[in-house]
Coordinates of all heavy atoms in Angstrom, one line a residue:
R20 N 24.0 34.0 2.7 CA 23.9 34.4 1.3 C 24.9 35.4 0.9 O 25.4 36.2 1.7 CB 22.5 35.0 1.0 CG 22.0 36.1 1.9 CD 20.6 36.5 1.9 NE 20.4 37.5 2.8 CZ 20.1 37.3 4.1 NH1 20.1 36.1 4.7 NH2 19.9 38.4 4.9
L27 N 32.7 35.9 -14.3 CA 32.9 35.4 -15.6 C 34.1 35.9 -16.3 O 34.4 37.2 -16.2 CB 31.6 35.6 -16.5 CG 30.4 34.9 -16.0 CD1 29.2 35.3 -16.9 CD2 30.5 33.4 -16.0
G28 N 34.9 35.2 -16.9 CA 36.0 35.6 -17.7 C 35.6 36.5 -18.9 O 34.5 36.5 -19.2
D33 N 29.1 37.1 -22.3 CA 28.4 37.5 -23.6 C 28.1 36.2 -24.4 O 27.0 36.1 -25.1 CB 29.4 38.4 -24.4 CG 29.5 39.7 -23.7 OD1 28.7 40.1 -23.1 OD2 30.6 40.3 -24.0
H36 N 25.1 34.4 -22.8 CA 23.9 35.2 -23.1 C 23.4 34.9 -24.5 O 22.2 34.7 -24.7 CB 24.1 36.7 -22.8 CG 22.9 37.5 -23.3 ND1 23.0 38.1 -24.5 CD2 21.8 37.7 -22.7 CE1 21.8 38.7 -24.8 NE2 21.1 38.5 -23.7
V45 N 15.8 25.4 -27.2 CA 14.5 24.8 -27.0 C 14.1 24.8 -25.6 O 14.6 24.0 -24.7 CB 14.5 23.3 -27.5 CG1 13.1 22.7 -27.5 CG2 15.0 23.3 -29.0
V50 N 5.8 24.6 -14.9 CA 4.5 25.1 -14.1 C 4.2 24.0 -13.0 O 4.1 22.8 -13.4 CB 3.3 25.2 -15.1 CG1 2.1 25.7 -14.3 CG2 3.6 26.1 -16.2
V60 N 7.7 24.8 -24.6 CA 7.1 26.1 -24.8 C 6.3 26.1 -26.1 O 5.2 26.6 -26.2 CB 8.1 27.2 -24.9 CG1 7.5 28.5 -25.4 CG2 8.7 27.4 -23.5
Q101 N 19.9 13.1 -22.8 CA 18.9 12.7 -23.7 C 19.5 13.0 -25.3 O 18.8 12.7 -26.2 CB 17.7 13.5 -23.6 CG 16.9 13.1 -22.3 CD 15.7 14.1 -22.0 OE1 15.5 15.1 -22.7 NE2 15.0 13.7 -21.0
P104 N 20.7 18.7 -28.7 CA 21.7 19.6 -29.1 C 21.6 20.9 -28.3 O 20.5 21.4 -28.0 CB 21.5 19.9 -30.6 CG 20.0 19.6 -30.8 CD 19.6 18.6 -29.8
L109 N 26.9 26.4 -23.9 CA 26.1 25.7 -23.0 C 26.4 24.2 -23.1 O 26.2 23.5 -22.0 CB 24.6 26.0 -23.3 CG 24.0 27.3 -22.9 CD1 22.5 27.2 -23.3 CD2 24.2 27.5 -21.4
D110 N 26.8 23.7 -24.2 CA 27.0 22.3 -24.3 C 28.2 21.8 -23.4 O 28.2 20.6 -23.1 CB 27.3 21.9 -25.8 CG 28.4 22.7 -26.4 OD1 29.0 23.6 -25.7 OD2 28.8 22.4 -27.5
A125 N 34.0 26.8 -5.5 CA 32.8 26.6 -4.7 C 33.2 26.3 -3.2 O 32.5 26.9 -2.3 CB 31.8 25.6 -5.2
H133 N 32.3 19.5 1.4 CA 31.4 18.4 1.0 C 30.9 18.6 -0.3 O 30.2 17.7 -0.9 CB 30.2 18.4 2.1 CG 30.7 17.9 3.4 ND1 31.0 18.9 4.4 CD2 30.9 16.8 4.0 CE1 31.3 18.2 5.5 NE2 31.3 16.9 5.3
A135 N 30.5 18.2 -4.0 CA 31.1 17.3 -4.9 C 30.4 17.2 -6.2 O 30.9 16.6 -7.1 CB 31.0 15.9 -4.2
A139 N 22.9 22.1 -13.2 CA 22.7 23.4 -13.8 C 21.4 23.3 -14.7 O 21.2 22.4 -15.4 CB 23.9 23.8 -14.7
L145 N 10.0 35.5 -18.6 CA 9.4 36.5 -19.5 C 8.3 37.2 -18.6 O 8.0 36.9 -17.5 CB 8.6 35.7 -20.7 CG 9.6 34.8 -21.5 CD1 8.7 34.0 -22.5 CD2 10.6 35.6 -22.2
A156 N 14.5 23.1 0.3 CA 14.7 21.9 1.0 C 14.2 20.8 0.1 O 13.1 20.8 -0.4 CB 14.0 22.0 2.3
E188 N 8.2 35.4 9.1 CA 6.9 36.2 9.1 C 6.6 36.8 7.7 O 5.6 37.4 7.5 CB 6.9 37.3 10.1 CG 6.8 36.8 11.6 CD 8.1 36.1 12.0 OE1 9.2 36.7 11.8 OE2 8.0 35.0 12.6
G200 N 26.6 38.9 -15.0 CA 27.9 38.3 -14.6 C 28.1 38.1 -13.2 O 29.1 37.7 -12.7
N203 N 25.1 34.8 -7.5 CA 24.4 34.8 -6.2 C 24.4 33.4 -5.7 O 24.1 32.4 -6.4 CB 23.0 35.3 -6.3 CG 22.8 36.7 -6.9 OD1 23.7 37.5 -6.6 ND2 21.8 36.9 -7.5
F219 N 6.2 45.2 -18.8 CA 7.0 46.2 -19.5 C 8.4 45.9 -19.5 O 9.2 46.7 -20.0 CB 6.6 47.7 -19.1 CG 6.9 47.9 -17.6 CD1 8.1 48.0 -17.0 CD2 5.8 47.9 -16.7 CE1 8.3 48.2 -15.7 CE2 6.0 48.0 -15.4 CZ 7.2 48.2 -14.8

Side-chain angles (χ1 to χ4, degrees):
R20 54 194 178 275
L27 300 176
D33 293 331
H36 170 261
V45 179
V50 184
V60 168
Q101 295 173 350
L109 284 180
D110 54 356
H133 295 97
L145 301 173
E188 286 71 48
N203 298 329
F219 52 82

